[in-house]
């Protein structure tokens, strides 16, 4: 029996697939769990509702980096803390913290605006790390075009319990992360199955298996062989895991067992 955990998904965002059917397809015949990520107040309620209604569905709390520019830092962190304390049995004690510079560069921002937006993101990033420190909890990192600043802040804050969501950097950067923290995890998504993802595949083939997790980020990043054909969903986690096994030239069952064990440990799940 193959056991696996989709460590990062948004099933409530599917546009073409029924959410109940998606959940049933995932749990129908195998022992698994999914971590549902919310992005704002509305999706927070949806994620918590899914976790309340379904065994082995858990959720996280976070703020999308593109939303922070008009939020009050102290009030936002207090609200996150309140949600966590009121839902400890449903929230897997993980905040998705971030630096995401993609849209900063994509939009028509002046040099001063770029610097200002980066500083705002850094303040929220550090505040969420300190919230995780307060409760001795791990956190998920969302990184986009910001890897140098992410590693710099991790070292400044000196907190080593983290998961790199949707890992998309090269092996050299992965080595820097694992050299800094033996407790960290790199979570691979459907991108690892894409033909042009050579750096990511190189990392998945070389990094110590004890650092590897798998995710879908559904409904996005559908893995091969369904890429471009349909929306992603949690049951496609198996294609990520099996491609990692292929890259590593290792037995699929062993890789399933290793990644399942890593996922339970990373999220402190008793399943």
């Amino acid at each position: 029996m193959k056991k696996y955990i989709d460590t990062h998904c948004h099933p409530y965002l599917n546009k073409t697939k029924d959410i109940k059917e998606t959940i049933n397809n995932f749990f129908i015949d195998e022992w698994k769990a999914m971590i549902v990520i919310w992005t704002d107040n509305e999706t927070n309620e949806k994620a918590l509702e899914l976790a309340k209604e379904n065994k082995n569905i858990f959720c996280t709390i976070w703020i999308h980096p593109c939303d922070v520019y008009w939020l009050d830092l102290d009030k936002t962190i207090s609200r996150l803390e309140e949600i966590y304390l009121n839902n400890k049995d449903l929230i897997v004690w993980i905040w998705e913290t971030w630096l995401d510079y993609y849209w900063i560069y994509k939009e028509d921002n002046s040099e001063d605006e770029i610097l200002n937006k980066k500083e705002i993101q850094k303040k929220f990033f550090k505040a969420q790390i300190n919230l995780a420190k307060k409760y001795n909890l791990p956190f998920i990192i969302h990184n986009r075009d910001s890897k140098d600043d992410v590693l710099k802040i991790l070292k400044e804050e000196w907190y080593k319990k983290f998961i790199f969501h949707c890992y998309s950097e090269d092996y050299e950067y992965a080595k820097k992360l694992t050299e800094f923290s033996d407790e960290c995890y790199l979570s691979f998504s459907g991108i690892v199955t894409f033909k042009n993802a050579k750096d990511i595949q190189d990392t998945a083939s070389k990094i110590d298996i004890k650092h590897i997790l798998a995710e879908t980020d559904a409904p996005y990043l559908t893995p091969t062989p369904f890429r471009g054909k349909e929306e992603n969903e949690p049951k496609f986690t198996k294609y990520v895991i099996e491609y990692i096994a292929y890259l590593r030239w290792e037995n699929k069952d062993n890789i399933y067992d290793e990644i399942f064990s890593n996922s339970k440990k990373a999220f402190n799940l008793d399943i």
Side-chain angles (χ1 to χ4, degrees):
M1 181 172 63
K2 294 183 176 68
K3 305 174 185 179
Y4 59 89
I5 297 172
D6 184 353
T7 63
H8 194 114
C9 61
H10 313 266
Y12 51 81
L13 292 178
N14 278 90
K15 295 179 179 178
T16 62
K17 296 185 177 183
D18 178 75
I19 189 166
K20 289 185 177 179
E21 184 178 353
T22 296
I23 291 170
N24 288 337
N25 287 342
F26 183 70
F27 287 113
I28 191 166
D29 62 354
E30 298 179 22
W31 188 15
K32 320 182 196 79
M34 67 171 74
I35 314 299
V36 177
I37 313 296
W38 63 273
T39 60
D40 53 31
N41 288 331
E42 180 182 357
T43 56
N44 162 38
E45 295 300 324
K46 291 179 180 179
L48 284 171
E49 183 179 345
L50 285 176
K52 289 174 182 177
E53 293 177 348
N54 299 273
K55 181 181 178 181
N56 289 351
I57 290 184
F58 306 91
C59 58
T60 72
I61 54 176
W62 76 306
I63 321 151
H64 196 283
C66 295
D67 294 338
V68 299
Y69 310 120
W70 50 84
L71 295 176
D72 180 280
L73 176 59
D74 292 337
K75 289 181 179 178
T76 301
I77 295 299
S78 293
R79 178 58 180 152
L80 290 180
E81 185 172 17
E82 179 185 0
I83 293 171
Y84 165 67
L85 292 174
N86 289 336
N87 297 278
K88 282 186 177 182
D89 56 331
L90 303 175
I91 294 170
V92 289
W93 317 298
I94 307 291
W95 287 269
E96 186 176 358
T97 60
W98 71 84
L99 290 180
D100 187 333
Y101 295 164
Y102 176 80
W103 287 108
I104 295 177
Y105 293 122
K106 191 82 170 176
E107 295 166 348
D108 187 22
N109 289 309
S110 67
E111 187 172 335
D112 286 343
E113 287 173 327
I114 289 173
L115 292 174
N116 183 54
K117 287 185 175 182
K118 283 185 177 182
E119 287 306 308
I120 292 172
Q121 285 199 20
K122 289 176 185 178
K123 287 178 181 178
F124 274 84
F125 187 22
K126 292 177 181 179
Q128 287 186 287
I129 292 175
N130 285 316
L131 185 57
K133 278 184 181 180
K134 182 176 180 179
Y135 294 101
N136 192 31
L137 305 172
F139 58 92
I140 300 171
I141 293 176
H142 170 113
N143 157 65
R144 205 173 182 197
D145 294 344
S146 55
K147 65 178 184 178
D148 292 336
D149 281 350
V150 166
L151 186 55
K152 180 181 178 182
I153 290 173
L154 285 173
K155 290 181 176 180
E156 287 174 355
E157 298 299 323
W158 205 254
Y159 197 59
K160 300 187 178 186
K161 295 182 179 182
F162 60 87
I163 297 165
F164 240 76
H165 147 62
C166 195
Y167 189 81
S168 56
E169 304 297 342
D170 59 19
Y171 177 60
E172 291 305 312
Y173 188 71
K175 285 199 298 182
K176 292 178 181 178
L177 294 173
T178 56
E179 286 168 1
F180 169 66
S181 172
D182 193 51
E183 303 174 69
C184 78
Y185 296 92
L186 311 182
S187 184
F188 292 90
S189 69
I191 295 176
V192 76
T193 70
F194 298 175
K195 288 183 179 180
N196 60 348
K198 299 303 181 185
D199 283 345
I200 302 170
Q201 292 168 357
D202 184 52
T203 304
S205 69
K206 293 178 179 177
I207 205 72
D208 193 314
I209 190 65
K210 72 178 183 179
H211 294 293
I212 292 180
L213 304 179
E215 65 173 87
T216 60
D217 201 21
Y220 315 110
L221 308 179
T222 307
T224 306
F226 299 101
R227 185 185 184 193
K229 300 176 182 178
E230 59 181 280
E231 283 186 309
N232 203 0
E233 58 181 289
K235 72 176 184 179
F236 291 161
T237 310
K238 61 187 176 184
Y239 294 101
V240 177
I241 295 171
E242 291 178 6
Y243 200 82
I244 291 171
Y246 161 76
L247 291 170
R248 299 176 70 89
W249 287 63
E250 294 185 36
N251 181 277
K252 284 195 296 187
D253 290 339
N254 291 343
I255 294 295
Y256 269 107
D257 288 344
E258 291 276 4
I259 293 178
F260 183 70
S261 178
N262 292 348
S263 302
K264 289 199 299 179
K265 183 178 179 182
F267 290 89
N268 194 25
L269 298 177
D270 183 19
I271 60 170

